């Protein structure tokens, strides 16, 4: 099995961290193919940046998707996911959506903990998109953003544990998602000290991409693909998909 | 990996069919342990019957769950699932919930096709429980129940395909769940002729149970387990769990 | 008029307290027939315990319901109520549902006050089941559970009054339900000192059971009863109902 | 016990019919005091007419409410009910609300049957006001309004029965409300031939007014009454209430 | 263009203030025709008072609406708006609704700031009526009502600014509505110091009334007007409208 | 006043049609500045195409927005609107949103009529985004898409009128939106023959953009703009905005 892991942020180090965690979950029999965005911003933190990243996701799947069994969009907020599902004949899994759905299978109520208040609202909107808002206990985050994103997982570990416990004990979350690519791989490190069940989004996305591939669903006959049409200004692989020339 | 597959119906032949499909999805490295309900009715089709079946599910996990990595409740409607998640320290996956969540990862909107109008309403309620109602396009089923449940998958194959296509073309379902234990294994048989993506619930439940196990989440420290207390009239294994004597 | 008052908890003293309050509301012309669960736990406080209690409710109505005009399920959370309505040809009133619906007739918004944080979430879910969530101002309860349930109504009276006033003044509840069987009969004791309208659940359930009986609705022709079927492991009265042998 | 039965329509014959049914349900120990609107229209069928009727309801309770234990607003749509609950220190029951809440205690899903398409939408809105929309299966009515309202209950009896059965069999309503004052008393006449449980709104309103009175709730200390203020152009009794001069 | 500006409160000074702000927004080419309620209370602050005011709004439009292009109901809560839209063949704009809808066009989430806790709940209900609750961040107001309403805009200016900033910074409102007729014209005074986009309701209502008039929509053929009927106790202009004698 | 009218489709003829209608509504005192997308597809009809168009909208406002008072995104579905509101310090109005909000000010319930079934579902989603779903009566459209989009407004005029009348008479829409850029300017042509109030989206968007500009709201102090950051692969004007170099 071969999974395309797309980092819609332009930061390579983040791709490496995400890939390492995904490989740990997937095991040796699954091939993880990482690709980093070449258009966009270092770390997506707004709807404007996600609008741009979503197009880059389409370009990447068009160019690198051939021969893979499923694609993972590895940014919370899942930029481009609805568009990608229209265009491509394979499972497309978003990191936010996979984390939320996995949490929903583990308990009745779930919350999100993240490292910056700037992301809190967008996470709320990501939950709304899935339809799971009534089971959501909210986002817990520090009051101010960190000065640097790179190492937050270690620098803020105690704070993040405290927030996780508040999500469980005060908000009533049975399950807590540790959201944001910079927290990839944190969940097992906090598990011992946490009263809730913890979800690591990239792990959840990897497990769900494998689950969907395992089902062997046929995408060949689906009619939800948009009608073919000409386009201007896109990469050749994406233009060919939109023109209906390839699948 | 070892999965407990619980058939809350008392019909052994149904257990065999479900187990066969689950094993096909899980592959040889996963051990499927099937158990059939010894208390209840041959085929659960009402909320009253599910109330009774839910207790039997608890008794079965208490008695047979030790040494398994996850439990699958293999009846649409997932009898006892909330209760089971409270009591047991491992993932518990319901067939309805797993099918719905898997469908939600495959497309924006999903519908259900089943073989009898007697089940339609309960399916609607199962969707409501997950919170996914806004993405649900409804249930399609024949106008009258079949005279015999055992062989509906083959006897009604053409009708079920027609309903599936209506779910896609008229209701706007991107994904169609073929619901009800007697339809286990039907999805791949219809895939070639169907414009929608098809989901087989027992396959989805198996894939999700494996996905949850793969994540290696720690259940040891969770605080959602009810306080220990004495009880009357339960099997000894379940009574011990409720008394807090075992995990 | 004859009402079956079912205590799904196994504690007889609780049945006595509930019966006394019900008789006060019903007056001498109504006959209250109390029955205490013989299977289950002393005081239901989880969904797992309610799953078990719900079956016991069905067994009790099957065995003792003949000749009564309506049944009252006297535990907050109303274990088994949907199942009971399917099986039995008479009104079945749940204590939570009756309290909520009565509150909804007395004011636009209502809250719940109870004596333990362990019950808070379940009360929220009970409101969701009725559909009245948008009119609900939430649960107020102490931060820690009491050491003993038996006498909370008197031991915690001042705290409960303070919570009731917070529900009215801070949460905006026009009506406050004093929830949990151990608080049966408390509402009139707090009325003088409270700015909200207070609802005592067992009183509300009794008044509603009488109201439904008074309407003289015919249940004989309804088609929502499940199809008759064989069963295993149930008491003979319930098995006969499920087999369609009696009504 | 003494109940004020307010007909917000100006048609006396309708008041007589409603009073007769209410007395039948209430029995001889309850005194029903009927009052007909002297301002407004013969039969309220729009939101504009209900706006006007609602003020007349306030005037009537202010003038005739003293010495009664509860008030019934006997028009579907319950004109003035929220306003009346603010101003008066006793239970105020609306015919629509009481019917809906009673239906919600009798089964999981309920529908409405009425005699004219002009009312259908307003009934939908009445359900939305209660918060019970998710349990509502919709309104069934004839395609065209009757030429005369007075005798619809008898003239259209067969059609109304057919609509009732459609509500049950096609829409999935466990309970059917026969809505509109001109249908007062019809429910028992159709019960024998109907597969659903039927609710007569004025009967339900009467039973609920009695239930609320029976609870003996104290309204004396509530703080939801608007602050006293001067007014212009109102009847003296209502002006006195608004000025805080009487209760 | 000619706009009827209805103040449903009986206070003339309030009408003057509202008219002045409306004229500033509308500019010299639009004629604003103010009318003050002659029946009702000085300042509407409850649902009972709004019930009465709504009828007065109908009387005023019936008497003064001829020759105007649109009507503005200049009280938060929009008394009588649904009724007025049924009866009159021109746009009817409510101050609350216009403010909410304008806010919804300016940002994803909006809140309300007002000067008294007595109004908070009604504002929440006004939002619910529009359907925009999911985008609403709530009401911010002082803990106690002001002793006098007339000059709150200046007396409480610092407090109102602080509340506005809390709505933006703590509640996440992109847009803040300064609600209540006594705050008419405050928004531009706070704009410099506020991090959110501010909406002045009477300005929004004026801009929306002009926008609707500008569209030139034909109201002549609409079928939503209630059937003509006789009435008792209304002003002659409104009675004629209800009788279908004029439009 | 100067309004930027952005056609996110690459078809110039469509821009001309939209501009003509916008100018008619705006009158001579408003300057309409039309810009056609240079990247994307001729006519956006899928979420994938909207993902791409949304970025083009950002590029266009960045490049052409300086000196305009508001921007109109002139494609149903409003591609890029949330992103644009984050980045730019002026009102941004979407054609779908403006039409829906305008309809919501004209009546309680509204529907959409369009010329192709391929767009129906997306319109439903556009309504959901605004939060107005509970007031929405659905989309009416022909069963099959037209062979050519250019002239549908005239070729299908009778069909569109029939659909409009069904939306009013069968679905209960007080107001009907004629959706899709190719129908720009159709509403007044059907008004005479239609029982509902009709809304032309580009007219509504123009009227709303003028209304928002008229309010003179200050955007200078808002804090919702994303933190400045570097980017790759964007046009220089948009990159400068994202880098925080210009406003």
């Amino acid at each position: 099995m071969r999974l395309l892991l797309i980092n819609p942020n332009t930061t390579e180090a983040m791709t490496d961290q995400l890939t390492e965690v995904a490989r740990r979950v997937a095991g040796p029999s699954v091939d993880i193919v990482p690709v980093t965005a070449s258009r966009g911003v270092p770390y997506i933190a707004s709807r404007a940046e996600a609008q741009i990243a979503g197009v880059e996701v389409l370009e990447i799947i068009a160019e690198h998707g051939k021969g893979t069994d499923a694609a993972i969009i590895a940014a919370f907020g899942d930029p481009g996911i609805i568009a990608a599902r229209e265009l491509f004949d394979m499972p497309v899994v978003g990191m936010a959506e996979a984390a939320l759905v996995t949490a929903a299978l583990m308990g009745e109520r779930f919350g999100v903990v993240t490292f910056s208040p700037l992301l809190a609202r967008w996470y709320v909107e990501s939950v709304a998109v899935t339809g799971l808002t009534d089971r959501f206990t909210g986002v817990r985050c520090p009051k101010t953003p960190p000065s640097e994103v790179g190492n937050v997982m270690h620098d803020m570990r105690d704070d993040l544990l405290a927030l996780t416990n508040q999500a469980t004990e005060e908000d009533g979350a049975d399950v807590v998602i540790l959201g944001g690519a910079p927290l990839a791989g944190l969940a097992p490190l906090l598990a011992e000290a946490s009263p809730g069940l913890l979800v690591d989004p990239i792990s959840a996305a990897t497990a769900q991409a494998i689950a969907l591939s395992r089902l062997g669903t046929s995408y060949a006959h689906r009619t939800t693909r948009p009608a073919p049409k000409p386009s201007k200004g896109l990469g050749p692989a994406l233009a060919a998909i939109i023109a209906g020339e390839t699948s």
Side-chain angles (χ1 to χ4, degrees), chain A residues 142-157:
Chain A
K143 300 229 156 172
T144 52
S147 54
E148 205 203 359
V149 166
N151 214 30
V152 285
M153 179 168 136
H154 302 293
D155 294 353
M156 301 176 61
R157 184 166 158 172

PDB file of all heavy atoms in Angstrom, chain A residues 142-157:
ATOM      1  N   PRO A 142      -3.359  27.970  25.044  1.00  0.00           N
ATOM      2  CA  PRO A 142      -2.790  29.032  25.872  1.00  0.00           C
ATOM      3  C   PRO A 142      -3.401  30.379  25.486  1.00  0.00           C
ATOM      4  O   PRO A 142      -3.962  30.524  24.393  1.00  0.00           O
ATOM      5  CB  PRO A 142      -1.298  29.008  25.517  1.00  0.00           C
ATOM      6  CG  PRO A 142      -1.079  27.811  24.665  1.00  0.00           C
ATOM      7  CD  PRO A 142      -2.382  27.346  24.154  1.00  0.00           C
ATOM      8  N   LYS A 143      -3.265  31.375  26.336  1.00  0.00           N
ATOM      9  CA  LYS A 143      -3.867  32.693  26.075  1.00  0.00           C
ATOM     10  C   LYS A 143      -3.107  33.461  24.992  1.00  0.00           C
ATOM     11  O   LYS A 143      -3.659  34.337  24.350  1.00  0.00           O
ATOM     12  CB  LYS A 143      -3.873  33.542  27.366  1.00  0.00           C
ATOM     13  CG  LYS A 143      -4.661  32.925  28.496  1.00  0.00           C
ATOM     14  CD  LYS A 143      -5.635  33.894  29.141  1.00  0.00           C
ATOM     15  CE  LYS A 143      -6.729  33.056  29.790  1.00  0.00           C
ATOM     16  NZ  LYS A 143      -7.659  33.746  30.612  1.00  0.00           N
ATOM     17  N   THR A 144      -1.807  33.177  24.835  1.00  0.00           N
ATOM     18  CA  THR A 144      -1.005  33.900  23.842  1.00  0.00           C
ATOM     19  C   THR A 144      -0.296  32.910  22.934  1.00  0.00           C
ATOM     20  O   THR A 144       0.002  31.783  23.339  1.00  0.00           O
ATOM     21  CB  THR A 144       0.065  34.779  24.528  1.00  0.00           C
ATOM     22  OG1 THR A 144       0.791  33.960  25.449  1.00  0.00           O
ATOM     23  CG2 THR A 144      -0.583  35.920  25.305  1.00  0.00           C
ATOM     24  N   PRO A 145      -0.021  33.312  21.699  1.00  0.00           N
ATOM     25  CA  PRO A 145       0.683  32.410  20.780  1.00  0.00           C
ATOM     26  C   PRO A 145       2.142  32.259  21.193  1.00  0.00           C
ATOM     27  O   PRO A 145       2.699  33.169  21.805  1.00  0.00           O
ATOM     28  CB  PRO A 145       0.582  33.116  19.422  1.00  0.00           C
ATOM     29  CG  PRO A 145      -0.028  34.448  19.648  1.00  0.00           C
ATOM     30  CD  PRO A 145      -0.401  34.590  21.087  1.00  0.00           C
ATOM     31  N   PRO A 146       2.768  31.130  20.882  1.00  0.00           N
ATOM     32  CA  PRO A 146       4.181  30.937  21.205  1.00  0.00           C
ATOM     33  C   PRO A 146       5.031  31.825  20.300  1.00  0.00           C
ATOM     34  O   PRO A 146       4.615  32.192  19.197  1.00  0.00           O
ATOM     35  CB  PRO A 146       4.434  29.466  20.895  1.00  0.00           C
ATOM     36  CG  PRO A 146       3.416  29.115  19.859  1.00  0.00           C
ATOM     37  CD  PRO A 146       2.217  29.975  20.133  1.00  0.00           C
ATOM     38  N   SER A 147       6.209  32.176  20.750  1.00  0.00           N
ATOM     39  CA  SER A 147       7.080  33.025  19.919  1.00  0.00           C
ATOM     40  C   SER A 147       7.574  32.241  18.705  1.00  0.00           C
ATOM     41  O   SER A 147       7.758  32.775  17.631  1.00  0.00           O
ATOM     42  CB  SER A 147       8.255  33.543  20.753  1.00  0.00           C
ATOM     43  OG  SER A 147       8.914  32.450  21.358  1.00  0.00           O
ATOM     44  N   GLU A 148       7.757  30.947  18.881  1.00  0.00           N
ATOM     45  CA  GLU A 148       8.247  30.138  17.769  1.00  0.00           C
ATOM     46  C   GLU A 148       7.470  28.827  17.732  1.00  0.00           C
ATOM     47  O   GLU A 148       7.235  28.214  18.778  1.00  0.00           O
ATOM     48  CB  GLU A 148       9.733  29.846  17.981  1.00  0.00           C
ATOM     49  CG  GLU A 148      10.492  29.562  16.716  1.00  0.00           C
ATOM     50  CD  GLU A 148      11.739  28.742  17.061  1.00  0.00           C
ATOM     51  OE1 GLU A 148      11.945  28.451  18.263  1.00  0.00           O
ATOM     52  OE2 GLU A 148      12.468  28.369  16.148  1.00  0.00           O
ATOM     53  N   VAL A 149       7.087  28.366  16.537  1.00  0.00           N
ATOM     54  CA  VAL A 149       6.240  27.184  16.419  1.00  0.00           C
ATOM     55  C   VAL A 149       7.044  25.888  16.469  1.00  0.00           C
ATOM     56  O   VAL A 149       6.598  24.866  16.995  1.00  0.00           O
ATOM     57  CB  VAL A 149       5.413  27.261  15.105  1.00  0.00           C
ATOM     58  CG1 VAL A 149       4.789  25.923  14.762  1.00  0.00           C
ATOM     59  CG2 VAL A 149       4.325  28.319  15.248  1.00  0.00           C
ATOM     60  N   GLY A 150       8.252  25.941  15.968  1.00  0.00           N
ATOM     61  CA  GLY A 150       9.041  24.732  15.721  1.00  0.00           C
ATOM     62  C   GLY A 150       9.083  23.728  16.856  1.00  0.00           C
ATOM     63  O   GLY A 150       8.865  22.535  16.654  1.00  0.00           O
ATOM     64  N   ASN A 151       9.321  24.178  18.053  1.00  0.00           N
ATOM     65  CA  ASN A 151       9.573  23.241  19.143  1.00  0.00           C
ATOM     66  C   ASN A 151       8.480  23.239  20.217  1.00  0.00           C
ATOM     67  O   ASN A 151       8.704  22.769  21.332  1.00  0.00           O
ATOM     68  CB  ASN A 151      10.930  23.595  19.793  1.00  0.00           C
ATOM     69  CG  ASN A 151      11.616  22.342  20.275  1.00  0.00           C
ATOM     70  OD1 ASN A 151      11.426  21.270  19.684  1.00  0.00           O
ATOM     71  ND2 ASN A 151      12.379  22.457  21.354  1.00  0.00           N
ATOM     72  N   VAL A 152       7.297  23.766  19.898  1.00  0.00           N
ATOM     73  CA  VAL A 152       6.265  23.914  20.931  1.00  0.00           C
ATOM     74  C   VAL A 152       5.935  22.636  21.670  1.00  0.00           C
ATOM     75  O   VAL A 152       5.599  22.644  22.853  1.00  0.00           O
ATOM     76  CB  VAL A 152       4.926  24.464  20.365  1.00  0.00           C
ATOM     77  CG1 VAL A 152       5.034  25.953  20.072  1.00  0.00           C
ATOM     78  CG2 VAL A 152       4.474  23.692  19.145  1.00  0.00           C
ATOM     79  N   MET A 153       6.037  21.525  20.960  1.00  0.00           N
ATOM     80  CA  MET A 153       5.665  20.238  21.548  1.00  0.00           C
ATOM     81  C   MET A 153       6.486  19.928  22.804  1.00  0.00           C
ATOM     82  O   MET A 153       5.965  19.373  23.768  1.00  0.00           O
ATOM     83  CB  MET A 153       5.902  19.184  20.483  1.00  0.00           C
ATOM     84  CG  MET A 153       5.616  17.799  20.871  1.00  0.00           C
ATOM     85  SD  MET A 153       5.639  16.822  19.335  1.00  0.00           S
ATOM     86  CE  MET A 153       6.593  15.428  19.929  1.00  0.00           C
ATOM     87  N   HIS A 154       7.735  20.309  22.782  1.00  0.00           N
ATOM     88  CA  HIS A 154       8.570  20.053  23.952  1.00  0.00           C
ATOM     89  C   HIS A 154       8.565  21.240  24.908  1.00  0.00           C
ATOM     90  O   HIS A 154       8.418  21.073  26.112  1.00  0.00           O
ATOM     91  CB  HIS A 154       9.979  19.683  23.498  1.00  0.00           C
ATOM     92  CG  HIS A 154       9.975  18.480  22.611  1.00  0.00           C
ATOM     93  ND1 HIS A 154       9.621  17.230  23.083  1.00  0.00           N
ATOM     94  CD2 HIS A 154      10.171  18.340  21.274  1.00  0.00           C
ATOM     95  CE1 HIS A 154       9.641  16.358  22.079  1.00  0.00           C
ATOM     96  NE2 HIS A 154       9.960  17.007  20.960  1.00  0.00           N
ATOM     97  N   ASP A 155       8.684  22.458  24.353  1.00  0.00           N
ATOM     98  CA  ASP A 155       8.729  23.650  25.202  1.00  0.00           C
ATOM     99  C   ASP A 155       7.462  23.798  26.058  1.00  0.00           C
ATOM    100  O   ASP A 155       7.514  24.263  27.195  1.00  0.00           O
ATOM    101  CB  ASP A 155       8.849  24.923  24.337  1.00  0.00           C
ATOM    102  CG  ASP A 155      10.186  24.978  23.607  1.00  0.00           C
ATOM    103  OD1 ASP A 155      11.054  24.108  23.879  1.00  0.00           O
ATOM    104  OD2 ASP A 155      10.356  25.862  22.747  1.00  0.00           O
ATOM    105  N   MET A 156       6.312  23.454  25.484  1.00  0.00           N
ATOM    106  CA  MET A 156       5.047  23.709  26.173  1.00  0.00           C
ATOM    107  C   MET A 156       4.422  22.441  26.750  1.00  0.00           C
ATOM    108  O   MET A 156       3.240  22.432  27.093  1.00  0.00           O
ATOM    109  CB  MET A 156       4.051  24.339  25.196  1.00  0.00           C
ATOM    110  CG  MET A 156       4.551  25.655  24.595  1.00  0.00           C
ATOM    111  SD  MET A 156       3.373  26.280  23.370  1.00  0.00           S
ATOM    112  CE  MET A 156       1.923  26.511  24.395  1.00  0.00           C
ATOM    113  N   ARG A 157       5.198  21.395  26.847  1.00  0.00           N
ATOM    114  CA  ARG A 157       4.628  20.105  27.219  1.00  0.00           C
ATOM    115  C   ARG A 157       3.786  20.142  28.493  1.00  0.00           C
ATOM    116  O   ARG A 157       2.681  19.593  28.531  1.00  0.00           O
ATOM    117  CB  ARG A 157       5.753  19.080  27.350  1.00  0.00           C
ATOM    118  CG  ARG A 157       5.235  17.706  27.644  1.00  0.00           C
ATOM    119  CD  ARG A 157       6.299  16.666  27.438  1.00  0.00           C
ATOM    120  NE  ARG A 157       5.995  15.462  28.166  1.00  0.00           N
ATOM    121  CZ  ARG A 157       6.681  14.331  28.038  1.00  0.00           C
ATOM    122  NH1 ARG A 157       7.718  14.289  27.209  1.00  0.00           N
ATOM    123  NH2 ARG A 157       6.345  13.271  28.722  1.00  0.00           N
TER     124      ARG A 157
END
